Amino acid sequence: KAQQLSGPWGWLLYGMARYSDAQTRLLAAAQRVSSGGRRRSLLAEFWEDRDGELDDLRHWLTDPQDRVMLLTGHRGNGQGQLVREVLGIQALYIDVAGMLEAGGAVDDHIFLKHLCRSVGYWPAQGMDRQMSALLDLMLPGSGKLSRENEVLVAVQRVLSSLTQALIRWRGRWESDDRTPVAPVPLIVIDGFTAENRTRREGFMESLVTWAAYVSEHGLARVLFIADSSFAEPAMLACLGNRPERLDIQELQDGAPAAVKRLLRRHFQASQKPCEVLEEDLAMVGGRYRDIAALIAHVHEGAAPEEAVHRLVDGADQTVRNLLLRGQQGAKWTRPQLWRAVKLLATSTPESGVPYDVFLWSVFRGDEAALQSMKESNLIAVASRGVATLEDINPDVPIGRHARRYKVLPGSPLFAEVYWRLADHKGLAAVLDLEVAKEDIKREQATLSGYEADLVRLQEVDDVRREKWRGLAAPHH
């Protein structure tokens, strides 16, 4: 039907369909060539015992939807790969990582070229930038005044053309009496991370607001795929903090029993005997990326215990570097990270640390710093329901109680590392001293503020006595 549409919109839709098909085929071929098919089969094995979750995901992806859709989960759980496995060529895929990572963060031409190619827009936007360069040549400095605005105008022009194409697509189907219901295309936007989402100012907000418009008007269903460290609050901010405009589905880690069956099946199929101990499996957890790394180490010839130790040592080195050097651009400090490590080391994976306790014990109420540490994947926030029976009001239905949250380590590997670092007496003594210095500095600043207030009060009192207001001197 896209070929039968007249005008540029028909060619745009035709190009979108052809590009989506080629993009999916190229991805499948690249996976087979790069890993001999192992990674693809491993993802299928990872979800083999979770048919209920897969069925829920399929229904969620195919059901009618008038809200922006967000598929999230812990980083490294393979959400994007899973969606491509489930949908195949039944969606248009837009990979923003290719726009924001491969030179597109600094080069406008590369950025717009990737964007136009993703949606089948031709010719690629760029005339505005060329005119700006010509203006800058004639009047040095003038072309740099509105660089970001030029790019955003080009982005809005592409999205507007896509919207018009979707309107014409729906009109074409509605005019056909043989079709009772017009199909609604599904557009999948993947590749946003906590690190790259701000590299193009206004780009993520433009995509989210456009997605809300076409979803609410029934022109298309738009699915964003992003990890849970930043996705929900970032998208809600783009939607004016209106949660009713966002539908969220979260993928969970694999259960220990399911992971054990996965490893047994995988190594039996490869005729490579391997048995991972229960305590080692608890360290790795049920995250797809960590399980894939464990299997890769074993295939390279490492024993299961050695493979687990390599993963733990890598996570240990990461946390140590952050504790000793910090992270550039982060809103949390090294002493705050150490407080978090010690607090999480004393908790269990089931209970975690209550959100409010963690917020005030580590950050003194600074939610921005907590969110920054969450975006660094050092911690995770999960719902914990009603904490105890004493918290339940018998006069209120159980479903109407406020949701409670807990803070957990960013991954099972980090949980093991936090326990080891907190138990390291030498490192703990050094970092405890730094935390104490920060506390002393903060209290000294507070005392200095109090002293300054007292001095100002004394000055006010002296002025009033000098003006004969009848106040007695405070010393008599």
Side-chain angles (χ1 to χ4, degrees):
K1 283 189 175 288
Q3 290 177 293
Q4 298 173 3
L5 292 175
S6 60
W9 310 121
W11 286 108
L12 176 60
L13 286 172
Y14 177 68
M16 288 164 52
R18 291 295 301 273
Y19 178 73
S20 175
D21 186 21
Q23 189 182 38
T24 304
R25 295 178 185 275
L26 180 62
L27 175 68
Q31 287 178 335
R32 289 193 296 269
V33 172
S34 63
S35 59
R38 177 184 301 165
R39 194 170 184 87
R40 182 182 180 88
S41 63
L42 179 60
L43 181 65
E45 291 176 8
F46 181 73
W47 289 95
E48 185 172 333
D49 292 336
R50 305 165 70 178
D51 294 336
E53 294 179 66
L54 279 180
D55 290 340
D56 292 342
L57 179 62
R58 290 191 183 95
H59 289 310
W60 184 67
L61 291 175
T62 55
D63 285 347
Q65 183 64 265
D66 60 355
R67 294 185 290 175
V68 181
M69 305 162 68
L70 171 63
L71 180 64
T72 185
H74 296 302
R75 179 179 290 188
N77 255 354
Q79 294 94 334
Q81 291 175 292
L82 178 62
V83 168
R84 291 179 184 269
E85 290 279 348
V86 172
L87 295 176
I89 62 173
Q90 301 176 20
L92 170 67
Y93 299 94
I94 300 177
D95 182 15
V96 298
M99 309 172 199
L100 300 175
E101 302 287 354
V106 295
D107 191 305
D108 298 341
H109 176 71
I110 295 177
F111 172 75
L112 293 174
K113 181 180 178 181
H114 277 280
L115 173 63
C116 294
R117 183 183 299 170
S118 297
V119 299
Y121 187 99
W122 187 88
Q125 289 286 320
M127 182 60 68
D128 292 341
R129 188 60 187 152
Q130 295 173 8
M131 293 297 295
S132 177
L134 179 61
L135 181 62
D136 187 55
L137 181 63
M138 299 171 58
L139 186 61
S142 61
K144 300 178 182 179
L145 297 178
S146 57
R147 172 177 173 268
E148 291 299 330
N149 289 336
E150 293 168 3
V151 175
L152 284 180
V153 167
V155 170
Q156 294 291 350
R157 188 178 293 124
V158 173
L159 295 178
S160 176
S161 298
L162 185 55
T163 303
Q164 294 300 319
L166 292 171
I167 292 174
R168 289 175 178 264
W169 170 269
R170 185 176 65 175
R172 181 71 177 183
W173 280 93
E174 291 177 348
S175 63
D176 190 349
D177 297 334
R178 296 172 298 178
T179 307
V181 179
V184 181
L186 175 61
I187 301 174
V188 179
I189 300 176
D190 190 11
F192 277 118
T193 65
E195 294 80 18
N196 69 18
R197 65 187 176 91
T198 57
R199 289 179 184 172
R200 282 287 176 178
E201 185 178 356
F203 178 53
M204 183 177 181
E205 182 178 1
S206 298
L207 281 181
V208 174
T209 53
W210 170 81
Y213 174 81
V214 296
S215 299
E216 292 168 0
H217 287 78
L219 299 176
R221 293 172 296 128
V222 184
L223 169 66
F224 285 82
I225 303 175
D227 66 82
S228 57
S229 65
F230 77 98
E232 183 177 355
M235 291 190 64
L236 284 176
C238 297
L239 295 173
N241 291 318
R242 298 283 299 277
E244 71 275 10
R245 303 178 70 186
L246 185 64
D247 190 12
I248 304 173
Q249 184 88 353
E250 184 171 359
L251 298 179
Q252 303 295 334
D253 294 346
V259 174
K260 192 171 183 178
R261 290 193 298 269
L262 161 65
L263 295 176
R264 185 179 297 113
R265 285 195 309 268
H266 181 86
F267 289 114
Q268 284 178 352
S270 61
Q271 298 181 353
K272 188 179 184 68
C274 176
E275 188 68 29
V276 182
L277 299 177
E278 294 285 348
E279 53 268 25
D280 290 339
L281 194 58
M283 296 181 195
V284 177
R287 197 154 303 176
Y288 173 72
R289 180 177 58 185
D290 297 334
I291 295 171
L294 172 66
I295 292 175
H297 285 311
V298 174
H299 279 296
E300 291 171 359
E305 296 81 1
E306 176 62 25
V308 172
H309 292 160
R310 289 183 186 179
L311 295 177
V312 175
D313 289 343
D316 181 271
Q317 188 63 37
T318 297
V319 178
R320 282 176 181 266
N321 286 337
L322 293 175
L323 282 170
L324 298 176
R325 299 178 179 87
Q327 179 176 314
Q328 186 176 6
K331 297 180 180 178
W332 48 266
T333 63
R334 294 186 297 113
Q336 287 174 338
L337 176 57
W338 178 240
R339 287 196 191 97
V341 167
K342 292 186 65 177
L343 192 57
L344 291 171
T346 60
S347 66
T348 62
E350 294 77 17
S351 62
V353 179
Y355 184 91
D356 295 335
V357 173
F358 191 88
L359 177 63
W360 288 99
S361 299
V362 177
F363 300 105
R364 302 293 190 270
D366 187 357
E367 293 240 22
L370 187 149
Q371 178 62 29
S372 177
M373 187 174 289
K374 181 183 173 186
E375 291 179 0
S376 300
N377 287 286
L378 295 168
I379 60 174
V381 178
S383 174
R384 66 185 181 100
V386 179
T388 61
L389 293 177
E390 288 76 9
D391 295 328
I392 299 178
N393 184 350
D395 298 328
V396 180
I398 189 67
R400 298 192 61 187
H401 283 85
R403 294 178 64 187
R404 297 175 180 272
Y405 294 91
K406 59 184 177 182
V407 179
L408 302 168
S411 71
L413 288 174
F414 281 158
E416 175 65 20
V417 169
Y418 292 168
W419 182 85
R420 294 187 180 190
L421 293 178
D423 196 51
H424 193 296
K425 296 183 178 179
L427 181 64
V430 173
L431 294 174
D432 284 341
L433 180 60
E434 188 165 351
V435 169
K437 289 181 179 178
E438 185 188 65
D439 292 339
I440 292 172
K441 182 179 179 181
R442 184 182 64 253
E443 297 301 329
Q444 286 180 339
T446 303
L447 289 175
S448 298
Y450 292 155
E451 292 174 354
D453 291 339
L454 291 173
V455 170
R456 283 193 291 270
L457 289 173
Q458 182 62 43
E459 291 175 351
V460 171
D461 183 62
D462 292 341
V463 169
R464 296 186 65 176
R465 284 190 295 102
E466 291 174 359
K467 291 187 175 181
W468 306 96
R469 298 293 180 90
L471 297 176
H475 305 294
H476 298 287

